[in-house]
Amino acid sequence: MDNPSHSQSSTPPRRPDDLRIRVRAKSTPNSTRRKSDLVPVFTHDTARKASLETELPQDYNGLFRSVDNTKMSHKQIRKITCLGSGFVGGPTSAVMAFKANVDVTVVDVNTDRIAAWQSNVLPIYEPGLHEIVQAARDCREVEYVGEGEGEGARTLDSRADMSSLSRGRLFFSTDTDRAINDADLIFVCVNTPAKAHGIGRDTAADLGFVEAATRAIANIAKDSKIVIEKSTVPCRTAQSIREILSANARSGVVFEVLSNPEFLAEGTAVRDLLYPDRVIIGSLPTPTGLKAAASLADIYAQWVPRERIITMNSWSSELSKLASNAMLAQRVSSVNALSVICEATGADVNEVSHACGLDSRIGPLMLNPGPGFGGSCFQKDIFNIVYLSESLHLREVADYWRSIISMNEYQKRRFTQRIIACLFNNLAGKKIAVLGFAFKKDTSDTRGSPAITLVRNFVAERAFVAIYDPKVQEEQIWKELVDDGGDLAELSTYVQVCKSAYTACEDGDAVVVVTEWDEFSNKTDPMLSGALAPSTILADIDPNRISTPKFPTSFNEKNLHSLQLTQNKYELKSYHEKFNTSLRATAADTGVCNTRRLDWRRVARGMRRPMYVFDGRNILDAAKLERLGFRVETIGKASTNLHFLGGYG
C-alpha cells in the first residue's frame, strides 16, 4: 500500500519511508572519522522524551506499565537465540544484531534455508534486508546514499559499531543444542498455522511448532533462560509455554516467559523494525517477570525511544497482536465493501476513500481497494478471535469478525466474475496474463495471495494463465497452486510461469494486475522519468526527508561530480554509478534487477483484440491505457463495458 503524502512542515515525520542504504567493506574505526561524518539516523527527541516522562506519574499503572517502572536489578543480555528463520525470525534477528550490542544466532532445522541465509541469495525478499544482513553477518558497514552525497552522506547508526569488530554479530546455524545453551534469551519465532483437522479446523491456531520448540528448550537448557513468545499466538499461550517449561526443566533451571508480539508489515518489515510504532512486552506482574521484561526492554532501548517500549500483562500483549491485525483487516474489507457500492452507483472509490481519510479520526492508511487481502496473518488472526469468541459462547462477536472474512472472499469472487463477464462470459481457450503473485508489493510472500484464488478460478474456466512476479520464485508459485488443491497435471496444461511481463502478456486476451508492484504502474511521477524509484528495491527512508530525491534533478545536478572520498579511499565517479553499484548489490538476493516500468505500448502491440486490462489495485492511469486501445476495468469504478453494466455480483 502506498504511503500517504507528507507535509513540508519543519517538524520531521515520525518515522521514515524512503531510506536508501548500501553496504561497503569494513573501513577504519568510527573513532578516526570526523564528527561531522557521523550523523546518526536515530536522533531521539530528548525534549519530547522528558515531556512524556513528566506527564506520566512514576506509579502510573493504568493502560500500561512504563518501562521506567521496571528499573530494578536485572540481567544484561549478551547472547540471543532465535528459533525459526522465517519472515519474522530472520529480519527481527538481523536488525537486532545490527542495532544492539548483542550476538544473535538464528536456528532452523531446515538446512537449505540456513544455507540460504548464509549466502548472498536470501530465502526471503524484503527491501533493505540484504544490506542489514550483510552488515550484521559479514561485519560490513552500511552507508547512506543521499542527495548530494558528500556532506549529506551519512552512516546508518549501528550501536554494534560494526567497523570496530573482527566478526559480525549475526549467525545462522542448525545446531539447536549449542544455540540454546549459549543464549541468555531465546525468541520463539516458529509458524502458527490454522489447524488442518479436528476441533477448530481452519479457525484455531495449530501450536504444534510452538510446543515442539518449547519442549526442545526445556530438554536442552542447562541453566536459566528468558523465553520470548514472538510468534502470533492465541491469548494465554504464554501460560501453556510456562507450564511445559516448568514440567520438563532440569533441576535448578528456571524460565521466565515473556510475550513480545511482532507488528511487521511485509514489504516494510525492515523499516518497521528500525522505527517501530511501539514495542510491547508482556510479562507476569511478579518481581522476576518485571526483571525479565526490563532485560528485554534494554535491548530494544538501544535504538527505540523508551516511551515507545510498553509493558503489560502477557494476556493483553497476546490479544493486542490479534486485535491489531483484525482491525486492519476490517479496514480493508470496509473499503472493499464500499468499492462494490461505487461500481454500482458510478461513484469513484478513490475519491470516497480520500474524503474519508481526511478525517483525522480515520486517517488515510489502509484505504486502498483491492481483490482482497492476503498474507499469513489477517485471516488467521481473525479466525483466532472467532474461535476464541465461540469458545467463550460469544456468538454475536464471532459472527461480527467472521463477516470480515466473508467480505474478503466475496471481493475475490466478484473480481473473477467481472473478468468473465467482460470477456463475453467465456474464458475457455483465452490467455489471461496475471501480473503479480505475491500478496502485496515489496515482498516475496505468497501465502493467502488473492492471485491463488484468481488463477484457480481461471483454470476452472479452462483459460490459459501466464503468471509473472518480479520477486516470487517459480517453484513457490507451483507449490501454492498445488497446496490450494490444484492438480499438477491440469495446472501444467493451463498455467505457465514467465520470466518477464512481456512474455506473460504476449498473445493475451486480458491482463489482470493482482499485485501493486511499482513496475506495473503507468501513472506519471516526474521524479522517475520512466525508471523505478530506488526505494522500490532499497527500503528505509531518511527520517528527516532531507535526502533521496528519486533521481538527480537540476537542483542537485551540480553535486554529481563533487563526491567526497569514502573511508576506504574508493571514490565512485558519479551519483548514477554509485546508485547502480548499490542497486546491483541489492538485487543479488533474487538475481533479478528490474529498474524500468512496464512499457504498455509494447504490451499492446503483442496482445489480441479486443484487449482488456483489469486493474485490481488502482495503480493504472486508465485514460492513458485507453488511448493505446485497451479496455480498462478498475475495482471501485463503474464498468466501461456497457454490455455488462447489469452487474456481476
Side-chain angles (χ1 to χ4, degrees):
M1 186 185 68
D2 294 334
N3 290 322
S5 58
H6 298 276
S7 64
Q8 301 297 319
S9 64
S10 58
T11 303
R14 176 179 51 79
R15 77 174 184 178
D17 286 331
D18 198 27
L19 174 72
R20 295 183 289 116
I21 53 181
R22 77 160 179 271
V23 181
R24 64 180 183 182
K26 184 180 74 172
S27 61
T28 55
N30 286 342
S31 58
T32 66
R33 299 184 185 173
R34 298 179 304 168
K35 185 176 181 180
S36 59
D37 290 336
L38 297 173
V39 182
V41 170
F42 275 108
T43 54
H44 295 170
D45 188 345
T46 54
R48 174 62 179 155
K49 179 179 177 182
S51 172
L52 285 171
E53 291 175 346
T54 56
E55 291 169 8
L56 297 177
Q58 287 297 316
D59 59 347
Y60 181 79
N61 198 28
L63 295 178
F64 61 87
R65 300 194 304 267
S66 169
V67 171
D68 289 338
N69 290 339
T70 64
K71 285 185 176 179
M72 58 184 73
S73 176
H74 57 271
K75 185 174 185 178
Q76 300 301 308
I77 305 300
R78 298 300 180 191
K79 291 187 176 182
I80 294 173
T81 287
C82 176
L83 302 183
S85 62
F87 280 91
V88 174
T92 299
S93 299
V95 170
M96 192 163 286
F98 176 66
K99 296 301 295 184
N101 188 28
V102 293
D103 288 349
V104 182
T105 299
V106 182
V107 178
D108 203 303
V109 296
N110 188 325
T111 56
D112 291 338
R113 179 173 283 264
I114 289 298
W117 278 111
Q118 293 170 333
S119 73
N120 285 327
V121 184
L122 303 186
I124 63 175
Y125 173 75
E126 276 289 329
L129 180 60
H130 188 263
E131 294 90 339
I132 295 295
V133 168
Q134 279 193 319
R137 182 193 66 192
D138 304 334
C139 197
R140 299 278 187 97
E141 186 179 348
V142 177
E143 184 182 86
Y144 244 152
V145 180
E147 178 180 352
E149 304 299 315
E151 295 183 0
R154 298 187 286 173
T155 298
L156 189 61
D157 182 28
S158 169
R159 298 302 177 100
D161 191 10
M162 294 296 168
S163 63
S164 65
L165 295 175
S166 59
R167 60 170 178 78
R169 291 192 179 275
L170 179 64
F171 309 93
F172 297 94
S173 174
T174 57
D175 190 345
T176 305
D177 289 28
R178 179 176 178 179
I180 288 176
N181 278 313
D182 285 350
D184 303 311
L185 182 150
I186 301 171
F187 281 102
V188 177
C189 298
V190 296
N191 193 21
T192 55
K195 290 183 67 175
H197 46 75
I199 297 175
R201 176 182 176 180
D202 295 329
T203 55
D206 183 348
L207 299 180
F209 294 117
V210 173
E211 181 176 347
T214 302
R215 291 185 181 278
I217 294 170
N219 293 331
I220 294 170
K222 297 177 182 178
D223 56 10
S224 299
K225 312 286 183 184
I226 299 174
V227 178
I228 311 296
E229 168 196 82
K230 194 73 173 174
S231 302
T232 302
V233 293
C235 192
R236 303 191 77 87
T237 300
Q239 181 60 33
S240 300
I241 293 175
R242 191 175 289 107
E243 291 175 2
I244 293 172
L245 291 172
S246 176
N248 293 276
R250 300 176 186 231
S251 177
V253 175
V254 178
F255 297 99
E256 279 298 328
V257 179
L258 302 177
S259 169
N260 177 221
E262 51 86 14
F263 294 95
L264 308 181
E266 292 186 44
T268 60
V270 173
R271 187 189 69 190
D272 296 337
L273 286 162
L274 289 171
Y275 307 92
D277 292 325
R278 76 286 202 199
V279 173
I280 291 180
I281 301 173
S283 70
L284 289 178
T286 61
T288 55
L290 295 177
K291 287 180 180 180
S295 294
L296 180 57
D298 280 352
I299 297 172
Y300 283 111
Q302 294 182 56
W303 78 94
V304 179
R306 282 276 181 178
E307 61 268 20
R308 292 190 185 174
I309 304 173
I310 301 170
T311 62
M312 58 183 65
N313 73 59
S314 298
W315 329 135
S316 297
S317 175
E318 291 169 336
L319 187 56
S320 293
K321 172 57 191 296
L322 299 178
S324 293
N325 276 346
M327 295 181 76
L328 291 172
Q330 175 196 53
R331 201 170 166 94
V332 174
S333 282
S334 293
V335 74
N336 281 341
L338 289 171
S339 75
V340 180
I341 299 175
C342 289
E343 291 174 19
T345 61
D348 186 328
V349 71
N350 291 332
E351 295 175 347
V352 173
S353 62
H354 176 68
C356 293
L358 293 175
D359 190 323
S360 60
R361 298 167 299 176
I362 299 174
L365 300 181
M366 303 286 288
L367 288 181
N368 292 330
F373 57 74
S376 64
C377 295
F378 282 5
Q379 178 163 304
K380 179 186 69 174
D381 293 351
I382 290 176
F383 275 138
N384 272 330
I385 293 181
V386 169
Y387 183 74
L388 176 62
S389 301
E390 290 177 337
S391 300
L392 298 172
H393 308 291
L394 304 174
R395 179 178 299 176
E396 290 80 7
V397 176
D399 290 344
Y400 170 75
W401 291 110
R402 187 182 284 107
S403 69
I404 297 172
I405 302 297
S406 299
M407 182 65 227
N408 196 56
E409 294 304 311
Y410 173 64
Q411 186 75 344
K412 297 177 191 177
R413 187 167 63 252
R414 284 188 67 259
F415 194 42
T416 300
Q417 291 169 345
R418 183 172 185 176
I419 294 169
I420 294 172
C422 288
L423 292 177
F424 314 107
N425 288 311
N426 177 34
L427 297 187
K430 295 178 180 177
K431 181 180 178 181
I432 310 296
V434 173
L435 298 187
F437 200 83
F439 82 91
K440 61 185 288 191
K441 75 172 186 175
D442 290 340
T443 182
S444 57
D445 194 356
T446 57
R447 292 174 292 181
S449 172
I452 300 170
T453 301
L454 293 174
V455 171
R456 181 185 67 213
N457 293 342
F458 296 155
V459 170
E461 295 288 330
R462 295 300 182 260
F464 294 100
V465 184
I467 304 169
Y468 167 72
D469 189 287
K471 293 298 179 183
V472 179
Q473 300 296 324
E474 179 175 352
E475 54 267 28
Q476 180 63 25
I477 293 176
W478 289 112
K479 180 180 183 301
E480 290 287 5
L481 295 176
V482 171
D483 289 349
D484 187 53
D487 177 73
L488 184 58
E490 181 183 47
L491 290 171
S492 299
T493 300
Y494 290 99
V495 177
Q496 70 175 126
V497 180
C498 303
K499 298 296 184 182
S500 77
Y502 300 110
T503 303
C505 297
E506 185 71 22
D507 293 325
D509 295 275
V511 178
V512 182
V513 178
V514 184
T515 309
E516 69 277 25
W517 288 104
D518 291 344
E519 69 177 83
F520 301 151
S521 177
N522 70 332
K523 291 187 176 179
T524 302
D525 186 340
M527 299 302 295
L528 297 179
S529 301
L532 291 182
S535 59
T536 302
I537 299 174
L538 304 177
D540 283 333
I541 295 184
D542 185 304
N544 299 315
R545 299 193 187 278
I546 60 174
S547 344
T548 68
K550 304 303 182 187
F551 272 83
T553 63
S554 58
F555 176 78
N556 68 351
E557 197 73 33
K558 64 182 184 297
N559 296 317
L560 294 184
H561 299 283
S562 60
L563 307 179
Q564 289 184 332
L565 291 175
T566 57
Q567 290 294 318
N568 60 359
K569 306 302 181 184
Y570 178 67
E571 182 178 17
L572 296 173
K573 294 180 180 179
S574 70
Y575 179 95
H576 292 291
E577 185 176 347
K578 209 165 190 180
F579 166 73
N580 288 333
T581 299
S582 177
L583 194 64
R584 286 193 295 270
T586 304
D589 53 10
T590 59
V592 177
C593 180
N594 296 298
T595 60
R596 304 290 299 182
R597 287 180 181 261
L598 187 64
D599 183 352
W600 284 95
R601 290 183 179 85
R602 178 178 169 184
V603 172
R605 289 195 296 269
M607 290 186 65
R608 297 172 60 189
R609 269 55 175 178
M611 50 187 185
Y612 277 88
V613 173
F614 297 91
D615 182 5
R617 294 290 185 174
N618 274 268
I619 63 171
L620 299 176
D621 186 325
K624 287 184 179 180
L625 293 180
E626 287 167 354
R627 288 195 292 270
L628 296 175
F630 287 101
R631 298 182 182 181
V632 184
E633 298 286 322
T634 305
I635 280 184
K637 297 180 182 179
S639 176
T640 59
N641 194 323
L642 296 178
H643 294 287
F644 306 107
L645 289 178
Y648 29 77

